[in-house]
Amino acid sequence: MKEARKGTPFVKNLKIVSYNAGTLCDTIGVERKPDFINQAPLIAQQLKDFHIVGIQEARAPTSKRMMGHWLRISGGKGRNKKGSSVLGIELWINTGLNLLDIDDEDPKPQKAFIKEGDVTIVLGNNPRILVASIRCTCLDAYVVVAHAPHSGDSDVERDTFWDSLDKAIGGRANVVLLIDSNAKVGYLPSVAIGDWCADDENLNGRCLHRMLLDKGLCSPSTFAHSGSSFTWTAPNSSTHRGDFVAIPCAWFPSVVRSFKPDDFYNLLGADDHSPVALHLRDCFGGCRQEGRCAWPRPSPTSLADPDKVRYFSLLLQQFDTPSFCTPVDTHYKQTVEYYHWAASMAFPGKRSGCRTLYYSDVTWSIVVLRKKVTANHWTSR
């Protein structure tokens, strides 16, 4: 079995899901109708094979507690104009699921688990945005669970939410975003949003798209997705896709598939929202550093495919060239990283996962220091 390099977070198997539950109807002080049953145990059972779960509309008070082997972190609930409880988000961490075992393929797998002490709340007590840090043996990342205002909310509410989300993520590296965005995207594809089952972008869609580009994130379900693409069924039976899992672009080669969990069931008696899930393997992306991975070279056959070449050209045209004031080393690094990423998108080939880091923090600091020494040497002559 391929082993993680010493000192480098390495995830063999990571499954993530985002789900708007409508309401959990939990038992700890949650307002609910008499005929509503607590959904939390049912959801936990159906998502037992997932490591990280983001829940929107949990409608539960602020808390951090264990539910079996699940660590549940609640950001609290809000109130609508009528005074009823609304919104509320939760982050569930499966502390009993191995991060180094690929679907029981190895009879004697290495073991690494996310423990309760590995999770730190960075931003809590917010009914729309929750940020937590996970730092364990083989995973080092920030997880953000968010729920955007819908089209019926005011422009001020929407602008406030997207500004708050932008500040919450800030310049953090290795961010995993689990969001009910109430957005429509895909008509204008980019490195962040693909054209799979594309919709005309609405206001939330433009805000989401711009933020993903700015933060270096992408949503794999917009590039390829197993099963139906929609994640919400409206009261009039129309369907929409507004729920997404977004990951750093550097993690994209490790994606096995984006999908909807089979035969998922809730107790609310309506289709409403469906979960959207993501499966990753052999990912060195857990390192919080400015490194990127070395990408496999495309095969000669792929280079002869005019459609792939055209797509590669389109991706290169979308590259936001660094400004003139950008240091030469940084300019080179950003350009090369983007070029390799675009090549991996256009000429995917066989993905065996990330092998070696393109740059590490130590390597990059040595490069910068060497340039400074050289510059000072020539200046002093």
Side-chain angles (χ1 to χ4, degrees), residues 1 7 28 55 62 82 108 111-112 205 251 290 296 318 324 367:
M1 184 181 71
I28 55 171
I55 302 285
T62 305
K82 297 180 180 180
K108 294 183 179 180
K111 294 184 179 181
W251 295 17
E290 295 303 319
Q318 295 175 346
F324 181 78
V367 170

Side-chain angles (χ1 to χ4, degrees), residues 36-76:
F36 278 11
I37 303 174
N38 182 9
Q39 286 205 98
L42 176 64
I43 294 174
Q45 175 61 30
Q46 294 181 94
L47 300 180
K48 60 181 175 31
D49 294 327
F50 289 86
H51 299 87
I52 299 172
V53 178
I55 302 285
Q56 295 87 21
E57 290 199 47
R59 304 174 194 248
T62 305
S63 64
K64 180 179 180 181
R65 63 195 187 280
M66 294 298 297
M67 181 182 70
H69 54 76
W70 288 96
L71 170 62
R72 290 180 58 183
I73 302 173
S74 175

Side-chain angles (χ1 to χ4, degrees), residues 129-150:
I129 303 171
L130 186 151
V131 183
S133 169
I134 301 177
R135 308 196 75 166
C136 64
T137 305
C138 61
L139 181 62
D140 193 354
Y142 291 97
V143 180
V144 180
V145 186
H147 186 186
H150 56 69

